[in-house]
Amino acid sequence: MNDLDFSELDSFTEKMWDRVNRDYPEKAEKVVKRCVYRAKNVAKNNTPVRKYGQSTLTKDKWTGSVKKSPNKTLGIIKLRSRKGHLIEHGHIDADTGAFIEGAHMLERTMTGEQPKIDRDIEKMVDDIFNL
């Protein structure tokens, strides 16, 4: 029993987040909007720019939104570019036939932003319940 188990702490935080969503939906929405806006900007910065022409059209196609339903507040980040899925997941170059590895912009963004999102939620829960 030398290992530390934080699974109960995570479930406690999740229960508190569910309670905040239910009892304080406007505060939950504010935190989600802030997290979505920040993550959208990080994803935009992670988006590669075409080497020739320096086109930033794909970078400018990131959108973020907040969806609300009873007892839930969800943040959504999407890349609305027609060729965004090719940049995200990879593709075969039409000229050379070589596979071009995907940039995995959204995955890298969420990996880097998850600790910040958790910190924002914990701070909000502490402020509401005076913990």
Side-chain angles (χ1 to χ4, degrees), residues 61-73:
K61 298 287 184 167
W62 285 99
T63 61
S65 62
V66 176
K67 301 289 183 190
K68 291 178 66 174
S69 64
N71 301 332
K72 292 282 183 187
T73 305

Side-chain angles (χ1 to χ4, degrees), residues 14-109:
E14 188 173 328
K15 287 177 187 175
M16 294 304 282
W17 176 247
D18 289 341
R19 183 171 173 196
V20 167
N21 265 313
R22 186 180 63 244
D23 297 340
Y24 306 96
E26 58 283 338
K27 291 187 180 199
E29 183 179 5
K30 183 178 177 182
V31 169
V32 171
K33 278 184 181 179
R34 184 175 354 144
C35 293
V36 165
Y37 178 77
R38 186 176 56 220
K40 182 183 81 156
N41 287 334
V42 171
K44 187 175 179 178
N45 291 335
N46 285 340
T47 304
V49 176
R50 186 184 310 164
K51 291 183 177 102
Y52 52 92
Q54 298 301 313
S55 173
T56 60
L57 291 177
T58 303
K59 279 186 156 217
D60 297 334
K61 298 287 184 167
W62 285 99
T63 61
S65 62
V66 176
K67 301 289 183 190
K68 291 178 66 174
S69 64
N71 301 332
K72 292 282 183 187
T73 305
L74 301 173
I76 300 170
I77 302 170
K78 290 182 183 179
L79 180 57
R80 295 278 185 178
S81 173
R82 291 183 313 153
K83 297 180 182 178
H85 63 285
L86 300 173
I87 298 168
E88 178 75 19
H89 302 293
H91 61 281
I92 295 176
D93 190 342
D95 296 332
T96 64
F99 181 75
I100 298 173
E101 182 64 34
H104 305 288
M105 303 158 292
L106 189 57
E107 180 182 339
R108 289 188 332 194
T109 297

